[in-house]
Amino acid sequence: MIDWDLAVSTANRLVRPGPEVSRDEARAVVAELRVHAADSEGHVRGFTGLDTRGNDTPVLIVDRAGWVQANVQGFRHVLRPLLDKVNERRDTIPGGNALSGVGSKVTGIELGTLLSFLSARVLGQYETFAPGAADAAPGNAGRLLLVAPNIVQVERELDVDPTDFRLWVCLHEETHRTQFTAVPWLRDHLEQEVHAFLTETEVDPAAMMRRFREAAQALVAGRRGDEGAEARNGNDGSLVEMVQTPVQREILHRITAVMSLLEGHADYVMDGVGPQVIPTVAEIREKFQQRRARGTGRLDLALRKLLGMDAKLRQYRDGERFVRNVVDQVGMEGFNRVWTSPNTLPTRGEIADPQTWVDRVHGTRPGTS
């Protein structure tokens, strides 16, 4: 289905060069990021009360090509259920083997193009589904990636203190590592949800073409001003969401709730720790929020909408508001009950209305899954 080698080579060919730095400057950036990543672990653990001691995962400082390579490896792992399903279906379609050979090249180029676009925008990432993570001990799965050239580029664009900005980024990404290392069941739960989503994927070509036509028509309607149609149809207007089945949409709602929690928690922790250790955190936060909101140009905004990246921006905002509201009511210890089991994770509705989560988990409401 996907020519992985072609995806990597395509991305590496299209990826834009990073900012100009000397070899000594590059070494200094890498060394400083390693120090900040190590320091961030203690800051995050002290603020959140989450215990990660004894659960060690690697920290990798990578360039854009390294980020692409790491994510291709992760995709190969997480997409396995869908690829197995396609392979089974291929044998029942006349000429399926020949078509898949051509299709894998096309898909490899498409994936490589997408990764080249994203590789210049990601500052850091906790890679939950890293190679070999399935065989790792609970709490030791995954690895933390920090994309050095992108961090340098953004700190220059924002004209902020480099040392403060690098620590600020590390605090956010270290929070994600803390979430998964302190809550060992979280990775398996998320992977099960992703696999359930992929298992529901249509592999019949006619059905897929019908859904793409419907999605294209909806996108055109939205561009003509009928934005309300997207909300009435229960999606965010992205192509990714509009080609889903109803079952997939329900699964995605659960995944979205979890991702909103994780991203919002990371933003909350970053803001909570920041004033204690980062003198210019207020300036960094203000400038970075402006950058998040505006994008970098018309094409960038269009791609963000098409790929559903606008929804990710809402995850930061809605998730942070959920965490802040809950902590204000029941304290950090009370909030940390969210990590007890999948049943205590917030639903999408509870992310929007934090009081309903507090009532359910801390009140007399019966628990729901």
PDB file of all heavy atoms in Angstrom, residues 8-22:
ATOM      1  N   VAL A   8      10.300   8.255   2.310  1.00  0.00           N
ATOM      2  CA  VAL A   8      11.449   8.903   2.957  1.00  0.00           C
ATOM      3  C   VAL A   8      12.258   9.708   1.945  1.00  0.00           C
ATOM      4  O   VAL A   8      12.621  10.867   2.185  1.00  0.00           O
ATOM      5  CB  VAL A   8      12.344   7.855   3.646  1.00  0.00           C
ATOM      6  CG1 VAL A   8      13.633   8.494   4.148  1.00  0.00           C
ATOM      7  CG2 VAL A   8      11.598   7.200   4.802  1.00  0.00           C
ATOM      8  N   SER A   9      12.548   9.109   0.787  1.00  0.00           N
ATOM      9  CA  SER A   9      13.368   9.807  -0.199  1.00  0.00           C
ATOM     10  C   SER A   9      12.644  11.033  -0.753  1.00  0.00           C
ATOM     11  O   SER A   9      13.269  12.075  -1.004  1.00  0.00           O
ATOM     12  CB  SER A   9      13.753   8.852  -1.341  1.00  0.00           C
ATOM     13  OG  SER A   9      12.613   8.397  -2.043  1.00  0.00           O
ATOM     14  N   THR A  10      11.308  10.927  -0.923  1.00  0.00           N
ATOM     15  CA  THR A  10      10.533  12.078  -1.396  1.00  0.00           C
ATOM     16  C   THR A  10      10.578  13.211  -0.381  1.00  0.00           C
ATOM     17  O   THR A  10      10.806  14.379  -0.731  1.00  0.00           O
ATOM     18  CB  THR A  10       9.079  11.672  -1.655  1.00  0.00           C
ATOM     19  OG1 THR A  10       9.029  10.662  -2.666  1.00  0.00           O
ATOM     20  CG2 THR A  10       8.252  12.872  -2.097  1.00  0.00           C
ATOM     21  N   ALA A  11      10.370  12.877   0.887  1.00  0.00           N
ATOM     22  CA  ALA A  11      10.390  13.902   1.931  1.00  0.00           C
ATOM     23  C   ALA A  11      11.761  14.561   2.016  1.00  0.00           C
ATOM     24  O   ALA A  11      11.867  15.796   2.106  1.00  0.00           O
ATOM     25  CB  ALA A  11      10.018  13.284   3.274  1.00  0.00           C
ATOM     26  N   ASN A  12      12.813  13.760   1.955  1.00  0.00           N
ATOM     27  CA  ASN A  12      14.163  14.317   2.059  1.00  0.00           C
ATOM     28  C   ASN A  12      14.500  15.212   0.863  1.00  0.00           C
ATOM     29  O   ASN A  12      15.252  16.178   0.988  1.00  0.00           O
ATOM     30  CB  ASN A  12      15.193  13.196   2.173  1.00  0.00           C
ATOM     31  CG  ASN A  12      15.133  12.496   3.520  1.00  0.00           C
ATOM     32  OD1 ASN A  12      14.607  13.045   4.487  1.00  0.00           O
ATOM     33  ND2 ASN A  12      15.650  11.281   3.581  1.00  0.00           N
ATOM     34  N   ARG A  13      13.930  14.877  -0.298  1.00  0.00           N
ATOM     35  CA  ARG A  13      14.178  15.689  -1.485  1.00  0.00           C
ATOM     36  C   ARG A  13      13.433  17.031  -1.406  1.00  0.00           C
ATOM     37  O   ARG A  13      13.918  18.053  -1.892  1.00  0.00           O
ATOM     38  CB  ARG A  13      13.743  14.921  -2.729  1.00  0.00           C
ATOM     39  CG  ARG A  13      14.114  15.627  -4.042  1.00  0.00           C
ATOM     40  CD  ARG A  13      13.854  14.735  -5.243  1.00  0.00           C
ATOM     41  NE  ARG A  13      12.442  14.403  -5.407  1.00  0.00           N
ATOM     42  CZ  ARG A  13      11.902  13.223  -5.154  1.00  0.00           C
ATOM     43  NH1 ARG A  13      12.655  12.233  -4.702  1.00  0.00           N
ATOM     44  NH2 ARG A  13      10.622  12.999  -5.337  1.00  0.00           N
ATOM     45  N   LEU A  14      12.246  17.024  -0.786  1.00  0.00           N
ATOM     46  CA  LEU A  14      11.415  18.220  -0.754  1.00  0.00           C
ATOM     47  C   LEU A  14      11.612  19.081   0.486  1.00  0.00           C
ATOM     48  O   LEU A  14      11.227  20.257   0.484  1.00  0.00           O
ATOM     49  CB  LEU A  14       9.935  17.821  -0.840  1.00  0.00           C
ATOM     50  CG  LEU A  14       9.482  17.127  -2.124  1.00  0.00           C
ATOM     51  CD1 LEU A  14       8.006  16.737  -2.012  1.00  0.00           C
ATOM     52  CD2 LEU A  14       9.685  18.021  -3.335  1.00  0.00           C
ATOM     53  N   VAL A  15      12.181  18.491   1.534  1.00  0.00           N
ATOM     54  CA  VAL A  15      12.290  19.229   2.786  1.00  0.00           C
ATOM     55  C   VAL A  15      13.153  20.475   2.598  1.00  0.00           C
ATOM     56  O   VAL A  15      14.179  20.445   1.907  1.00  0.00           O
ATOM     57  CB  VAL A  15      12.861  18.322   3.902  1.00  0.00           C
ATOM     58  CG1 VAL A  15      14.326  17.999   3.654  1.00  0.00           C
ATOM     59  CG2 VAL A  15      12.672  18.971   5.258  1.00  0.00           C
ATOM     60  N   ARG A  16      12.717  21.542   3.203  1.00  0.00           N
ATOM     61  CA  ARG A  16      13.449  22.801   3.079  1.00  0.00           C
ATOM     62  C   ARG A  16      14.641  22.811   4.032  1.00  0.00           C
ATOM     63  O   ARG A  16      14.574  22.241   5.123  1.00  0.00           O
ATOM     64  CB  ARG A  16      12.523  23.976   3.397  1.00  0.00           C
ATOM     65  CG  ARG A  16      11.432  24.178   2.365  1.00  0.00           C
ATOM     66  CD  ARG A  16      10.590  25.386   2.696  1.00  0.00           C
ATOM     67  NE  ARG A  16       9.855  25.193   3.934  1.00  0.00           N
ATOM     68  CZ  ARG A  16       9.124  26.152   4.531  1.00  0.00           C
ATOM     69  NH1 ARG A  16       9.056  27.340   3.981  1.00  0.00           N
ATOM     70  NH2 ARG A  16       8.479  25.893   5.647  1.00  0.00           N
ATOM     71  N   PRO A  17      15.721  23.475   3.652  1.00  0.00           N
ATOM     72  CA  PRO A  17      16.875  23.539   4.559  1.00  0.00           C
ATOM     73  C   PRO A  17      16.533  24.347   5.797  1.00  0.00           C
ATOM     74  O   PRO A  17      15.704  25.259   5.761  1.00  0.00           O
ATOM     75  CB  PRO A  17      17.941  24.237   3.707  1.00  0.00           C
ATOM     76  CG  PRO A  17      17.177  25.000   2.678  1.00  0.00           C
ATOM     77  CD  PRO A  17      15.953  24.181   2.381  1.00  0.00           C
ATOM     78  N   GLY A  18      17.173  24.005   6.890  1.00  0.00           N
ATOM     79  CA  GLY A  18      16.946  24.732   8.127  1.00  0.00           C
ATOM     80  C   GLY A  18      17.718  26.033   8.159  1.00  0.00           C
ATOM     81  O   GLY A  18      18.380  26.417   7.187  1.00  0.00           O
ATOM     82  N   PRO A  19      17.667  26.747   9.267  1.00  0.00           N
ATOM     83  CA  PRO A  19      18.388  28.028   9.382  1.00  0.00           C
ATOM     84  C   PRO A  19      19.898  27.801   9.331  1.00  0.00           C
ATOM     85  O   PRO A  19      20.394  26.727   9.681  1.00  0.00           O
ATOM     86  CB  PRO A  19      17.951  28.538  10.763  1.00  0.00           C
ATOM     87  CG  PRO A  19      17.572  27.308  11.518  1.00  0.00           C
ATOM     88  CD  PRO A  19      16.977  26.374  10.519  1.00  0.00           C
ATOM     89  N   GLU A  20      20.588  28.801   8.902  1.00  0.00           N
ATOM     90  CA  GLU A  20      22.051  28.705   8.809  1.00  0.00           C
ATOM     91  C   GLU A  20      22.674  28.809  10.193  1.00  0.00           C
ATOM     92  O   GLU A  20      22.443  29.773  10.929  1.00  0.00           O
ATOM     93  CB  GLU A  20      22.596  29.804   7.900  1.00  0.00           C
ATOM     94  CG  GLU A  20      22.238  29.631   6.432  1.00  0.00           C
ATOM     95  CD  GLU A  20      22.952  30.647   5.551  1.00  0.00           C
ATOM     96  OE1 GLU A  20      23.872  31.329   6.077  1.00  0.00           O
ATOM     97  OE2 GLU A  20      22.606  30.764   4.374  1.00  0.00           O
ATOM     98  N   VAL A  21      23.449  27.793  10.547  1.00  0.00           N
ATOM     99  CA  VAL A  21      24.199  27.808  11.800  1.00  0.00           C
ATOM    100  C   VAL A  21      25.563  27.184  11.527  1.00  0.00           C
ATOM    101  O   VAL A  21      25.706  26.329  10.653  1.00  0.00           O
ATOM    102  CB  VAL A  21      23.486  27.015  12.916  1.00  0.00           C
ATOM    103  CG1 VAL A  21      22.184  27.658  13.313  1.00  0.00           C
ATOM    104  CG2 VAL A  21      23.260  25.571  12.502  1.00  0.00           C
ATOM    105  N   SER A  22      26.548  27.618  12.271  1.00  0.00           N
ATOM    106  CA  SER A  22      27.861  27.012  12.138  1.00  0.00           C
ATOM    107  C   SER A  22      27.878  25.665  12.850  1.00  0.00           C
ATOM    108  O   SER A  22      26.968  25.340  13.619  1.00  0.00           O
ATOM    109  CB  SER A  22      28.916  27.926  12.750  1.00  0.00           C
ATOM    110  OG  SER A  22      28.766  27.972  14.166  1.00  0.00           O
TER     111      SER A  22
END
